[in-house]
Amino acid sequence: MLTRIDHIGIACFDLDKTVEFYRATYGFEVFHSEINEEQGVREAMLKINETSDGGASYLQLLEPIREDSAVGKWMAKNGEGVHHIAFGTADVDTDSEAIRDKGVRVLYEQPRRGSMDSRITFLHPKDCHGVLTELVTAANPAAHKDEEDH
């Protein structure tokens, strides 16, 4: 089932400024960056540490590129801050179905493409005590081990 905290998603108004804060304050470096048109965000993944299952834990900084994106709408109401928590899993399809069977609403019928070619889905925050929760299956943790894509 769930093996680690994959990442904490943090919504921000200015990605470059926020990346610089985490670099200057904590020494975190950008491991990967991309624009995800489907999700409507520009993002940077800052690696925190390796994990025992071959993956890693990250901070995911998210800047909306459209006001009508999920992150853009969330920021219009809440401003900057923690947007979601993501748990790593070896099989997002199986785990999301098992969680759905327990009465938790899964927001996507089929997992979608996430950061670094991962497969993702989200769980409804009203069913998770107010926390938007993401499930993530990494594309291939070993393939991204030394990736510097910024």
Side-chain angles (χ1 to χ4, degrees):
M1 187 126 178
L2 306 180
T3 59
R4 69 185 183 289
I5 294 176
D6 186 85
H7 66 270
I8 305 293
I10 300 172
C12 60
F13 291 113
D14 184 329
L15 184 66
D16 297 327
K17 185 177 174 181
T18 307
V19 164
E20 183 51 37
F21 168 80
Y22 281 96
R23 179 181 293 127
T25 306
Y26 305 116
F28 298 152
E29 295 294 332
V30 174
F31 178 77
H32 174 85
S33 62
E34 68 180 83
I35 295 175
N36 185 322
E37 293 288 345
E38 181 182 358
Q39 299 288 327
V41 295
R42 190 175 90 141
E43 65 178 81
M45 298 293 274
L46 286 62
K47 184 189 267 186
I48 307 305
N49 66 310
E50 302 288 330
T51 59
S52 62
D53 67 356
S57 293
Y58 304 91
L59 286 181
Q60 179 187 45
L61 306 179
L62 301 159
E63 176 188 2
I65 58 173
R66 299 188 311 269
E67 289 181 14
D68 69 339
S69 69
V71 173
K73 290 177 187 175
W74 184 87
M75 287 183 70
K77 287 197 283 189
N78 301 294
E80 292 185 302
V82 174
H83 180 261
H84 67 274
I85 185 168
F87 295 109
T89 172
D91 186 347
V92 69
D93 297 274
T94 299
D95 286 341
S96 63
E97 282 304 314
I99 290 169
R100 182 182 316 220
D101 290 346
K102 293 177 182 178
V104 175
R105 286 174 282 180
V106 178
L107 299 182
Y108 303 153
E109 281 302 314
Q110 297 295 318
R112 298 181 181 177
R113 182 198 169 279
S115 300
M116 301 183 290
D117 292 323
S118 62
R119 289 176 41 80
I120 65 166
T121 196
F122 285 90
L123 309 178
H124 200 293
K126 289 184 179 179
D127 297 343
C128 300
H129 297 271
V131 178
L132 179 62
T133 304
E134 182 179 4
L135 304 180
V136 179
T137 297
N140 180 353
H144 298 293
K145 190 167 182 74
D146 296 317
E147 181 175 329
E148 288 292 330
D149 198 28
H150 45 142

